[in-house]
Amino acid sequence: GTVAYMSPEQARGLQVDHRTDIWSFGVLLYELLARRMPFTGETATDVMLAIIQKEPPALRMFAPDLPAEIYFIVGKMLRKKLDERYQSVKDVLAD
């Protein structure tokens, strides 16, 4: 996968499932709304470490006029713990 869109579990070389796709979609939404990537670094390794260890800057900093629900949805898509992330795209659409 493309490093910037890897989920934490993928960056760590662990088993992945459909929730990895939800993460990657969250990265894409963040990028579109903020006009920047949520996780950055000078090298691919730096980006992977940021994905694993850091929280993204608050989306509100780069897109201050969005509805609060959007911040919540994108934030939940980018939760590092699988059980805290959306479990299905249906859940994303419901919110």
Side-chain angles (χ1 to χ4, degrees):
T2 304
V3 173
Y5 299 92
M6 284 184 177
S7 65
E9 59 274 13
Q10 187 176 14
R12 294 177 59 215
L14 301 175
Q15 184 73 27
V16 298
D17 61 23
H18 63 281
R19 293 171 293 183
T20 289
D21 294 330
I22 292 170
W23 169 280
S24 298
F25 184 42
V27 171
L28 179 65
L29 287 177
Y30 185 105
E31 179 183 12
L32 289 170
L33 296 169
R35 299 183 182 180
R36 70 180 304 273
M37 298 301 292
F39 303 98
T40 60
E42 290 184 35
T43 67
T45 302
D46 292 339
V47 174
M48 281 195 285
L49 285 172
I51 289 168
I52 294 167
Q53 297 176 347
K54 297 180 180 178
E55 294 300 321
L59 179 57
R60 188 178 304 274
M61 290 174 41
F62 307 105
D65 298 325
L66 296 174
E69 294 83 5
I70 298 297
Y71 303 124
F72 174 81
I73 290 168
V74 173
K76 189 168 180 177
M77 293 174 85
L78 295 178
R79 298 264 170 84
K80 294 186 187 303
K81 293 182 180 179
L82 285 171
D83 60 332
E84 294 179 1
R85 197 178 306 155
Y86 283 106
Q87 300 301 297
S88 74
V89 174
K90 281 184 176 182
D91 296 336
V92 176
L93 291 173
D95 279 354

